[in-house]
Amino acid sequence: MSMRGQSISIGELARRADCKPETVRYYERIGLLRDASRTDGGQRRYGDDTVRRLSFIRHARDFGFSVASVRELLAMSDQPDMSCQEVDAIATHHLKKVESRLQRLSALREELQRMVTHCAGGKVESCRIIEVISDHQLCITENSHGGAQDLG
Amino acid sequence: MSMRGQSISIGELARRADCKPETVRYYERIGLLRDASRTDGGQRRYGDDTVRRLSFIRHARDFGFSVASVRELLAMSDQPDMSCQEVDAIATHHLKKVESRLQRLSALREELQRMVTHCAGGKVESCRIIEVISDHQLCITENSHGGAQDLG
DNA sequence: TGTAAACCTTGTAGCAACTACAGCTTCAAG
DNA sequence: CTTGAAGCTGTAGTTGCTACAAGGTTTACA
């Protein structure tokens, strides 16, 4: 095995994949990235394969896939001969979740718009925003109820 | 001070505000709810005022306001004579965040739809989904880039 | 009055997915 | 050969809860 291409430091790797060294170490710790080879002094050195792998991870995370899903996607992409049914299943499942999130969020936007529009700028006593938050009855949409999922 | 109206247990309170006892204790710990009065045996007892306050908190959280924002909103609603400019500012700020989140999410949905639609169901080798995640160049929208914010 | 179920108590640890230190060592440029 | 940036490990913090364990209290019913 040649050492050629094992010349990228953790900082450089992070820069190329648009994240931070801490994140790289974190991914190594949880097993998304394999243990890196080291210099004599103990610093990590990477090759282009890891740049590609890390970029894949970051993009998938950007797309909103959970680390667990990324793990599965990585395992599958490591086996090019496999059927991609499972890949499709994960993506479709994710799409469903995104769609329902989208619905909730847009109901929420309408409610907030309504609140803000109706706030006359007077006293807190008669503030439309406080009222709507206090009394769910004043909501138009039923969608805006149902448990907050990290919207905040 | 009469003890009348201090007869609601933590479980009952939680039920009325649609959350769990653990959450109530948590809110007490972080100072969103004041320390409750206790029975001789040391159990918490509440009045209707707390039911209203907790409902307010839960609704605000449902609307996606952070605990920090809820804290500010509570402080303001405790002062009915104040101008509600700040309330409006918090809500408007929140609305902006919701709107940008919404845009990102809908770009994400399109990309996922495109991925899933183009996945022919063949081998992982030629899987459209894996390709798009691997290579951001294949994305249509620019919006789908920019750092994942708790999408899942 | 006894007892058993249902509820409550505190404290602690866990979740996701990082992020931010502190206190030290190593590397690379000049 | 020095200096300053970057890297190392390990641990704790973030947000907003949730989930125990190991006990104590309340309440309803017989």
Side-chain angles (χ1 to χ4, degrees):
Chain A
M1 267 188 204
S2 139
M3 223 41 176
R4 199 142 325 209
Q6 296 294 111
S7 50
I8 302 172
S9 72
I10 194 170
E12 178 65 17
L13 170 66
R15 226 167 289 124
R16 293 202 201 175
D18 196 30
C19 66
K20 298 182 182 176
E22 282 92 342
T23 310
V24 177
R25 286 188 209 106
Y26 171 69
Y27 287 160
E28 181 183 298
R29 211 162 60 239
I30 65 169
L32 280 191
L33 295 176
R34 292 169 211 113
D35 288 8
S37 56
R38 305 279 185 139
T39 64
D40 292 346
Q43 300 197 353
R44 291 168 180 81
R45 288 297 180 268
Y46 300 93
D48 286 332
D49 51 336
T50 308
V51 177
R52 277 193 299 277
R53 192 178 176 91
L54 180 56
S55 299
F56 180 91
I57 296 170
R58 291 310 306 161
H59 284 148
R61 297 283 305 116
D62 269 2
F63 278 126
F65 289 97
S66 70
V67 164
S69 295
V70 174
R71 211 184 287 274
E72 293 182 66
L73 290 171
L74 277 171
M76 290 184 239
S77 75
D78 283 346
Q79 301 190 317
D81 277 349
M82 232 181 70
S83 148
C84 72
Q85 276 190 359
E86 274 190 72
V87 175
D88 189 62
I90 291 176
T92 302
H93 175 76
H94 188 57
L95 175 58
K96 293 247 166 68
K97 273 171 58 179
V98 166
E99 277 171 345
S100 84
R101 176 93 46 120
L102 209 60
Q103 281 197 352
R104 268 182 55 66
L105 210 53
S106 95
L108 174 55
R109 185 194 48 193
E110 274 184 41
E111 210 58 65
L112 282 168
Q113 266 170 350
R114 216 164 61 89
M115 283 185 195
V116 171
T117 307
H118 284 82
C119 174
K123 296 282 172 68
V124 166
E125 203 172 14
S126 58
C127 180
R128 193 71 193 165
I129 296 164
I130 298 277
E131 277 177 37
V132 174
I133 297 176
S134 293
D135 189 355
H136 192 74
Q137 300 284 84
L138 296 172
C139 288
I140 287 174
T141 47
E142 244 341 282
N143 266 342
S144 52
H145 197 69
Q149 306 174 359
D150 45 52
L151 305 171
Chain B
M1 266 189 207
S2 135
M3 223 39 180
R4 198 143 327 212
Q6 296 292 113
S7 49
I8 302 172
S9 72
I10 194 170
E12 178 64 18
L13 170 66
R15 228 166 289 126
R16 293 203 202 175
D18 196 28
C19 67
K20 299 184 183 176
E22 283 92 339
T23 309
V24 176
R25 286 186 208 109
Y26 171 69
Y27 286 160
E28 181 184 298
R29 213 163 57 237
I30 65 170
L32 280 191
L33 295 176
R34 293 169 210 111
D35 287 8
S37 56
R38 305 278 185 140
T39 62
D40 292 347
Q43 300 196 354
R44 292 168 180 83
R45 287 298 179 268
Y46 301 93
D48 287 332
D49 52 336
T50 308
V51 177
R52 279 192 299 277
R53 193 179 177 89
L54 181 55
S55 299
F56 181 91
I57 297 171
R58 291 309 308 161
H59 284 148
R61 297 282 306 116
D62 270 1
F63 278 127
F65 290 96
S66 70
V67 164
S69 296
V70 174
R71 211 183 286 274
E72 293 182 66
L73 290 171
L74 277 172
M76 290 184 239
S77 73
D78 283 345
Q79 301 190 319
D81 277 349
M82 233 181 70
S83 147
C84 72
Q85 277 190 359
E86 275 189 69
V87 175
D88 189 65
I90 292 177
T92 302
H93 176 76
H94 188 57
L95 175 58
K96 292 247 167 66
K97 273 172 57 180
V98 166
E99 276 171 346
S100 85
R101 175 95 44 120
L102 210 65
Q103 281 197 351
R104 267 182 55 64
L105 211 52
S106 94
L108 175 56
R109 183 194 47 191
E110 273 185 43
E111 209 57 66
L112 282 169
Q113 266 169 349
R114 216 165 61 88
M115 282 184 195
V116 170
T117 307
H118 285 80
C119 174
K123 296 284 173 68
V124 166
E125 203 173 15
S126 58
C127 180
R128 193 69 193 169
I129 297 165
I130 297 278
E131 275 177 38
V132 174
I133 297 176
S134 293
D135 188 355
H136 193 74
Q137 301 284 85
L138 297 173
C139 289
I140 287 174
T141 48
E142 244 342 284
N143 266 343
S144 54
H145 197 68
Q149 305 172 359
D150 46 51
L151 303 172

